[in-house]
Amino acid sequence: MSDSGLTAQLHDHLRGMGIGFSELFTVEGLRKLDELFLLHLEKADTELRQQLLDYRDGKLVLTPPEDSHFLLAIAPFIDSFIARLFDIQVSLEVSQKRTISNDPVMRFKKIFVRRRARRYRGEIAATFAELDHWLDEQLSQAGLDGEDREYATAVWAEELLKSEEENHFQVERLTQWCSLVLKDPVHEEQFHGWVSFKLPLPLDYAQLVPLQSVNIEQTERFQAPPSQWRQRDGFKLTDMRMNARQVQDQVHYCIYCHEKGDDFCSKGFPEKKAEPESGFKINPLDVTLTGCPLDERISEMHMLKRDGYTIAALAMAMEANPMVPATGHRICNDCMKSCIYQKQDPVNIPQIETRCLTDVLALPWGVEIYDLLTRWNPLRKSQFMPRAYNGRKVLIAGMGPAGFTMAHHLMMEGCAVVGIDGLKIEPLSNTIIENPVLNWSDLQESLDERIILGFGGVAEYGITVRWDKNFLKLIYLSLARRPLFQVFGGVRLGGTLTVDNAWELGFDHVCVATGTGLPHVINMGNSLARGMRLANDFLMALQLTGAGKWSSLANLQVRLPAVVIGGGLTAIDTATEIQAYYIRQVEKILSHYEILSNEFGDEQVRQALNEEDQSILNEFLEHGRAVRTERRRAAEAGARPDFISLLRRWGGVTIAYRRDINSSPAYVRNHEEIREAMQEGLYYIQGLEPIRAELDEYGHVKAQVFRHVRYEDGHGLTEGKKVTLPGR
């Protein structure tokens, strides 16, 4: 059936349940929906329905563990109710089975790998090759020799344990095989994708980012080990996240602390000895472990995901975090820092959270399910549905994460909201605003050719393609559909519109959500000379003008070598994007130059260029041809182009920070970002304080001069040695 046919079918189905699709966006319609849910709950458990009503009224007083237990009792009914509401019972059942289908692998890891193989001390007479061949034969005889060898091994292992005494020989040999896999690093590549053999490692807070030292031009630099390099090409999403089995591995790694009220990932890690002023533990990086700033019910979400409740797990996350597309993987990790595992790898909660969202979006009408749960969620004690319009009108300046989150909560309380942003905000299609969206893929765009909507503030222009910006469209759509919301781009508070104007227009309140960060000009000689720019400005110019797109003619010039001064997340993002953009820039210039030369001739194309421009053009054309040659070589070899080697031949991109890397804001806040960035082939130099930029004969930056700084007890001690880094 076509999408339009399925849409008509959904409308008919909803009307058959006594509610229209458009009613799901009104207070009256959501009241009707809530009554339908309470009826659904009553048919299954009358007492639970009454408890829910008492819970909302404040009559049911629960301890934290009791509260968790109560919500976990309600959650499965959300799964079944929403499946019935959108007529997706079959699709939801498939999703649930797909999730729990990984359970045999989790049990195999727990019993054979962690309990037996890791502690195995017996003598192993056979070689690994002999045991590996023997295992293949056993799987083949059992009819389990498919593409998924890990799953086949796990299923066979479970069969053995049903009659362990009878199968003692096979159990022993399988344990020996697992033991050899764990003990010999040679097998790491062969079993790289197996979660069974991925065991938590001890946390070394001084070595969270694996780096090696290299000496280039008599200057020590750090780089990621070449074995970890990832070749990047363009501006598609660079992190595809964990697969379903890897996420379930993390879910099963969690010990579900909510059952004892010790869910520190959510509530913060309390300091029970000499309490600091905050009352929370401080880790070796001097980070106070306050847990999730939203108090998201993380442990409860994990338990529901473990048991295959696809929709309920997302609903549990959205109980405290309705803007879940804007959090999760590659965005925040306060929860991981406060995880009860403090001496070994923590549970990767952001990956799980984002998977809970994407598994729902993968369902038919998944966009509508997420959208509905932002406005109606029975797990919330308050704001389980929006209040009626209260007559209050609020102006929100800034449509970044703070602004759009505030807009949601104000509308849930019955306020009318107008959002403004200095960026130009593109309108969404009326088709997707007014009609149900069947497939999440209909809204998704490749990030390298995605239309910049302007909605999302720093999430739009300040975050790179390490994060899927299609999630912004999901939030934008959710707000744009609400009758109490309007948004206008190209309006700056204090410029286009003043606070006095807001009162004149009838607003009752003004919320300033424009962020607190300001560009920081480095105190150095020739600061902001030609060839230097602020990192924020570079990221905005790259992303808002679409300079990285093949179709864009935006003027954004980058030359190598490049030096990024700073140690925060903005510096890390800037360094990765310079590398990716440089390859795209020289390719585009070569392509455009050849088109113009063929049309007008080389002499006419160059006649308006001065000596400096001629030199830069020749440099870019040479590099563009090198990129083209490398693409041709890689295509013939069936491999990815090796752009890291080219970039390094041309000087590469170096991050220079005044302190050591372990003291940098990026390392302290989210070391994962440094690790991922360094794997793209960056250099890192620590202990360098900028003095001045040196200019060439054209007044363009050609190098940066630094002085060595050594830190002791928090104080910088300037060393006499100066270092000059080429950087244009």
Side-chain angles (χ1 to χ4, degrees), residues 326-377:
T327 61
H329 183 52
R330 301 304 291 270
I331 297 294
C332 52
N333 69 350
D334 291 351
C335 51
M336 283 181 71
K337 289 184 184 299
S338 297
C339 177
I340 200 166
Y341 294 119
Q342 287 291 303
K343 295 184 178 180
Q344 64 189 47
D345 291 332
V347 179
N348 199 320
I349 299 163
Q351 287 272 16
I352 300 170
E353 181 190 285
T354 301
R355 186 76 197 194
C356 288
L357 171 65
T358 55
D359 279 353
V360 168
L361 293 177
L363 294 169
W365 313 114
V367 171
E368 303 307 329
I369 294 170
Y370 162 76
D371 193 7
L372 177 60
L373 287 173
T374 62
R375 302 184 305 279
W376 172 81
N377 188 335

Side-chain angles (χ1 to χ4, degrees), residues 395 420 491-510:
L395 176 71
I420 59 172
V491 180
R492 187 173 66 86
L493 184 66
T496 319
L497 186 74
T498 67
V499 173
D500 287 338
N501 295 149
W503 307 141
E504 293 166 4
L505 290 168
F507 288 102
D508 299 291
H509 302 280
V510 174

Side-chain angles (χ1 to χ4, degrees), residues 209 520 522 535 563-575 654-671 673-674 677-678 683-688 690 706:
V209 179
H520 178 62
I522 298 174
V563 178
V564 179
I565 302 173
L569 291 172
T570 301
I572 300 299
D573 278 348
T574 299
T654 301
I655 300 171
Y657 182 55
R658 59 190 174 86
R659 305 187 70 164
D660 61 84
I661 188 171
N662 292 9
S663 302
S664 71
Y667 189 93
V668 171
R669 290 179 59 194
N670 197 340
H671 68 273
E673 296 305 323
I674 301 183
M678 294 302 292
Y683 292 117
Y684 199 108
I685 305 180
Q686 56 188 15
L688 292 186
F706 298 84

Side-chain angles (χ1 to χ4, degrees), residues 234-235 448-449 542 545-552 556 581 584 588:
F235 293 89
D448 61 343
E449 291 298 331
L542 173 65
T545 66
K549 297 180 181 179
W550 269 108
S551 57
S552 172
L556 177 62
Y581 178 66
R584 178 61 54 86
K588 285 170 62 177

